[in-house]
Amino acid sequence: MKIFYSLIIFSILNNINCQLLPPLPAPNLTFIDQSLALIFPIIQNFKNTITLDPFGVTKTWTGPDICNYKGFYCDNPPNNSSAISLASIDFNGFQLSAPTLDGFIDQLPDLAIFHANTNNFSGIISSKISNLPYLYELDLSNNQFIGTFPMSILNIKTLTFLDIRYNLLTGIIPPQIFVQYLDAFFLNNNNFIQKLPDNIGSTPAYYLTLANNKFVGPIPRSIGQAPNLLEILFLNNLLTGCIPYELGLLKKAIVIDVGFNTLTGPLPRSLGCLESVEQLNFAGNLLYGQVPEVICSLKNLVNFTLSYNYFTKVGPLCRELIDNGVLNVEKNCINGLPNQRSILECVLFRMQIKLCPLQKSLRIIPCNISNFSPHRPLRPERHLISYSALSKHTKLY
């Protein structure tokens, strides 16, 4: 009987060991570089954790030719131009399912790019990814990651592109991320709940998409200090307060979208200094007053959306934009224009108007507007990266 139980225990322990220990390379496999031999068992172990592979991608992950596995790309590592290593992984659209990436990408020492949009990877984002010395693009968008913002990302000094949109992340965004040297930062469509950090204007990013979260409080005045911003989306959050005068200092900005929050007050005239802007969206807020003519004179405007607010007046330049289909003022309180709010709605709103704390700053125009012209040539809308980020299946880079 003792022998019988011993055999059972031995069998159980043997099965456990087989599950925990990564597979070893077969003795007869020949790799073109020793670094590839070292990561072979890591890839095979990850392959064994995949529970769904609808396109049969992992069928190509066999044998020693890792550089020809589907989704895997090799190159010379920065520290050895004569070596060959795994430099990049692109799983975009593969729809692979796995309970975690922990123990996979963090064990690939030469990895520089990891893209995994539209898969079903879950769990938390491993803290060990900060150990990757060359990682500069990380795309984990449209997956099922949970937990708080992965603080380990702050320790990846080489990172320039971060895309974590369309996950189940919650909590707060650490202020330090806005001093990290990111060119693009996409975190829309999560569940982040906090006031926007006061140092948001320290970001060197060109693209910043914060849309479809639960950010609260005002837009920080530091936003005007951001040196490179081309596109910024605050769309569909819970932001309150007045639009800061400093937003008009973003002279390089092409897209500014603060639609569908609960911002109030008049539009600051400083927005007339946005000489590069093509897309301005303030729809779905509690804005009021006259639409400043100086904004309607911006020569590059393609789309200026003020619908679902409480504006009461537009001048001749703005009326010209309405006629040309550039300016949308539907569902406001402007006499003589179609598709406006009811008189009762407008009266009730006027009874509860509150002035902005820095009301005088809203009248300042901090630029020379003599070169601006209301007579703009028609121009097609360009492809805008930040708006593409609102589509969960879109590969951005």
Side-chain angles (χ1 to χ4, degrees):
M1 183 64 71
K2 290 182 179 180
I3 296 174
F4 176 72
Y5 282 126
S6 297
L7 290 173
I8 291 176
I9 293 170
F10 176 78
S11 177
I12 292 172
L13 291 174
N14 186 55
N15 286 335
I16 291 174
N17 286 333
C18 289
Q19 291 174 7
L20 296 180
L21 294 176
L24 297 175
N28 59 343
L29 295 182
T30 302
F31 297 86
I32 59 174
D33 194 283
Q34 179 61 23
S35 69
L36 299 176
L38 293 175
I39 65 171
F40 176 83
I42 296 166
I43 296 171
Q44 297 304 314
N45 195 42
F46 174 64
K47 176 181 176 180
N48 291 336
T49 70
I50 291 175
T51 58
L52 184 65
D53 178 12
F55 303 118
V57 170
T58 58
K59 292 178 180 178
T60 69
W61 299 1
T62 59
D65 193 3
I66 292 174
C67 301
N68 281 320
Y69 287 7
K70 190 170 184 178
F72 291 76
Y73 302 90
C74 297
D75 205 343
N76 309 114
N79 62 348
N80 188 348
S81 59
S82 63
I84 298 293
S85 65
L86 179 61
S88 173
I89 293 176
D90 186 350
F91 289 167
N92 284 333
F94 284 1
Q95 298 182 29
L96 301 173
S97 294
T100 183
L101 292 179
D102 199 6
F104 176 48
I105 61 173
D106 51 274
Q107 299 298 312
L108 305 174
D110 297 316
L111 192 66
I113 298 172
F114 184 75
H115 288 181
N117 172 271
T118 309
N119 286 277
N120 288 294
F121 300 135
S122 55
I124 61 172
I125 298 172
S126 173
S127 61
K128 299 173 187 175
I129 60 173
S130 61
N131 297 326
L132 299 176
Y134 309 122
L135 187 66
Y136 70 90
E137 288 189 15
L138 180 62
D139 179 357
L140 301 173
S141 59
N142 195 21
N143 281 280
Q144 302 293 322
F145 290 108
I146 60 173
T148 57
F149 183 90
M151 299 295 287
S152 56
I153 285 175
L154 300 176
N155 297 319
I156 309 177
K157 303 305 180 185
T158 52
L159 197 66
T160 61
F161 176 87
L162 177 60
D163 188 353
I164 54 174
R165 61 199 162 97
Y166 283 99
N167 278 287
L168 304 173
L169 302 173
T170 188
I172 64 172
I173 304 296
Q176 302 95 308
I177 196 66
F178 293 107
V179 296
Q180 195 154 346
Y181 287 100
L182 294 173
D183 293 333
F185 182 23
F186 304 98
L187 54 80
N188 53 282
N189 295 86
N190 280 284
N191 290 300
F192 294 114
I193 307 173
Q194 69 175 104
K195 289 181 65 176
L196 292 171
D198 288 335
N199 71 334
I200 190 172
S202 300
T203 181
Y206 295 90
Y207 306 97
L208 183 59
T209 303
L210 309 176
N212 301 321
N213 280 282
K214 296 176 182 176
F215 292 113
V216 300
I219 298 173
R221 296 177 61 191
S222 71
I223 190 65
Q225 300 170 12
N228 302 319
L229 270 180
L230 299 178
E231 302 179 20
I232 181 165
L233 301 189
F234 293 116
L235 176 71
N236 196 26
N237 279 285
L238 303 172
L239 299 176
T240 57
C242 297
I243 295 172
Y245 149 87
E246 290 81 3
L247 195 64
L249 303 180
L250 298 174
K251 292 190 176 182
K252 296 180 181 179
I254 297 170
V255 176
I256 297 176
D257 193 329
V258 298
F260 298 96
N261 285 279
T262 51
L263 297 163
T264 191
L267 286 177
R269 294 184 184 181
S270 63
L271 299 179
C273 298
L274 297 170
E275 57 192 46
S276 302
V277 78
E278 298 177 15
Q279 303 276 342
L280 274 178
N281 182 21
F282 297 95
N285 282 284
L286 303 173
L287 303 171
Y288 58 84
Q290 178 173 352
V291 181
E293 284 280 88
V294 67
I295 304 176
C296 291
S297 71
L298 290 169
K299 62 182 179 181
N300 291 313
L301 267 181
V302 175
N303 193 329
F304 184 17
T305 306
L306 299 175
S307 56
Y308 291 92
N309 280 286
Y310 292 88
F311 290 104
T312 53
K313 188 176 180 181
V314 290
L317 293 180
C318 293
R319 286 182 181 271
E320 182 181 330
L321 294 191
I322 294 171
D323 293 339
N324 293 335
V326 174
L327 173 57
N328 183 348
V329 291
E330 291 183 353
K331 297 301 178 182
N332 278 276
C333 300
I334 305 171
N335 287 334
L337 291 182
N339 300 319
Q340 298 298 296
R341 294 181 182 273
S342 69
I343 294 175
L344 179 60
E345 281 183 281
C346 296
V347 169
L348 291 175
F349 176 79
R350 282 199 293 269
M351 291 172 62
Q352 57 185 356
I353 282 178
K354 295 181 180 179
L355 296 179
C356 295
L358 299 173
Q359 191 79 11
K360 290 184 178 179
S361 70
L362 303 180
R363 295 193 291 270
I364 299 174
I365 304 175
C367 63
N368 182 354
I369 63 171
S370 60
N371 294 326
F372 289 13
S373 170
H375 305 291
R376 294 174 301 277
L378 293 176
R379 52 191 300 163
E381 295 188 21
R382 71 169 83 195
H383 172 72
L384 299 168
I385 291 176
S386 57
Y387 282 134
S388 297
L390 300 180
S391 174
K392 63 169 61 176
H393 302 293
T394 302
K395 175 183 177 180
L396 299 181
Y397 270 52

